[in-house]
C-alpha cells in the first residue's frame, strides 16, 4: 500500500519500539481537512471546540492558523496512518498569557488523538506517542516548559497529562476572543506544566 504522506517532509520522525515510526508533518489545511474534520466532529472531541463546523470551516480555521508565526498545526502519522492532531503555540501570543506568568522558553500544546483503530486501543500507545511529541517540542524546538490548558471538565485529558509528569497549575478562565478571523468562547481551563528536565530526567 502506498503511503499518501511519503512526499511530505516531517519536522520530526521517531521510531517507537513495538508500534512503528511516527512522523510529525506540518498540517496541510486543504489536503488534511477530511481527516481532521472527521475527528473534531466526534462527540468525544467536544472539548476541542469544533463540533458542528463544516469541513470548509475547519479548512478555513487551519488556513488562517497557517498564516501565523505564533501558532502551528501538525498532522501526526504512524506508518502512513494519521494518529493525532498536534497544535503548538507561543503562550505569550495567546489568551492563556492573561492567566499565568509566562516564562521564556514556554510553549503551549493542544493534542487531539485519533480514535482507536479496528484493533482497539493498544496498551502503552498514548504514552509512547506523547514521548515522541515531547521530544519534538522540548528537544527539537529547544523549549524548556510545556503548558497545556484542557477544559476543567475534561477529566480524561487532565489525568493523562498528570500521569505523563505534568504538574497541575491553577484552574483559570480563559477570556473570550472575538476577532474578525477567530472567535473563541470563554473557557474554564485547568493549567498544567511540564519542564524539560522532568520530561527527560537522566
Amino acid at each position: 500500500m502506498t503511503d499518501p504522506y511519503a512526499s511530505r517532509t516531517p519536522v520530526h520522525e521517531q521510531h517507537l519500539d513495538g508500534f512503528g515510526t511516527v512522523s510529525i508533518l506540518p498540517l496541510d489545511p486543504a489536503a488534511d481537512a477530511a481527516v481532521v474534520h472527521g475527528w473534531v466532529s466526534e462527540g468525544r472531541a467536544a472539548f476541542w471546540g469544533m463540533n458542528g463546523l463544516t469541513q470548509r470551516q475547519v479548512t478555513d480555521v487551519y488556513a488562517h492558523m497557517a498564516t501565523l508565526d505564533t501558532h502551528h498545526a501538525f498532522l501526526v502519522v504512524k506508518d502512513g496512518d494519521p494518529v493525532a492532531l498536534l497544535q503548538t503555540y507561543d503562550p505569550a501570543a495567546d489568551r492563556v498569557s492573561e492567566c499565568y506568568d509566562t516564562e521564556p522558553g514556554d510553549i503551549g500544546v493542544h493534542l487531539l488523538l485519533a480514535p482507536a483503530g479496528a484493533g482497539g486501543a493498544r496498551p502503552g500507545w498514548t504514552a509512547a506517542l506523547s514521548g515522541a511529541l515531547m521530544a519534538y517540542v522540548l528537544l527539537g524546538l529547544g523549549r524548556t516548559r510545556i503548558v497545556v490548558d484542557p477544559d476543567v471538565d475534561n477529566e480524561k485529558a487532565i489525568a493523562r497529562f498528570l500521569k505523563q509528569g505534568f504538574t497541575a497549575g491553577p484552574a483559570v478562565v480563559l477570556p473570550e476572543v472575538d476577532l474578525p478571523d477567530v472567535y473563541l468562547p470563554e473557557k474554564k481551563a485547568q493549567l498544567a506544566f511540564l519542564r524539560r528536565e522532568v520530561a527527560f530526567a537522566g
Side-chain angles (χ1 to χ4, degrees):
M1 190 172 100
T2 305
D3 180 352
Y5 302 99
S7 64
R8 290 162 63 173
T9 304
V11 295
H12 181 80
E13 199 162 70
Q14 188 170 332
H15 181 73
L16 305 180
D17 287 345
F19 294 104
T21 299
V22 166
S23 304
I24 302 176
L25 309 173
L27 188 77
D28 183 320
D32 299 330
V35 169
V36 173
H37 178 255
W39 292 347
V40 302
S41 298
E42 295 183 339
R44 67 181 187 89
F47 291 117
W48 197 256
M50 288 185 168
N51 276 183
L53 295 191
T54 64
Q55 185 171 313
R56 177 75 238 178
Q57 288 172 315
V58 170
T59 301
D60 290 346
V61 167
Y62 287 104
H64 170 68
M65 188 179 295
T67 68
L68 305 177
D69 294 329
T70 54
H71 293 62
H72 304 280
F74 304 90
L75 188 71
V76 185
V77 176
K78 179 181 73 70
D79 297 331
D81 292 322
V83 293
L85 175 61
L86 171 70
Q87 292 175 202
T88 62
Y89 62 93
D90 178 359
D94 190 85
R95 61 179 178 168
V96 74
S97 64
E98 299 182 35
C99 301
Y100 87 103
D101 293 327
T102 60
E103 295 180 4
D106 278 1
I107 187 167
V109 167
H110 298 303
L111 176 63
L112 179 64
L113 299 174
R122 292 185 60 189
W125 161 243
T126 300
L129 176 62
S130 297
L133 301 183
M134 287 188 287
Y136 167 62
V137 170
L138 291 171
L139 303 179
L141 296 179
R143 299 305 182 101
T144 54
R145 186 172 68 158
I146 295 173
V147 56
V148 294
D149 59 1
D151 191 289
V152 290
D153 293 325
N154 192 350
E155 297 174 358
K156 190 173 182 179
I158 294 169
R160 187 175 71 234
F161 286 126
L162 297 180
K163 187 176 180 181
Q164 291 165 359
F166 281 75
T167 299
V172 300
V173 178
L174 302 183
E176 177 187 57
V177 175
D178 192 0
L179 299 172
D181 291 316
V182 62
Y183 173 75
L184 297 170
E186 183 180 272
K187 173 183 171 183
K188 294 179 181 178
Q190 172 63 58
L191 300 186
F193 304 90
L194 179 67
R195 293 191 179 276
R196 184 167 60 195
E197 61 267 26
V198 173
F200 297 99

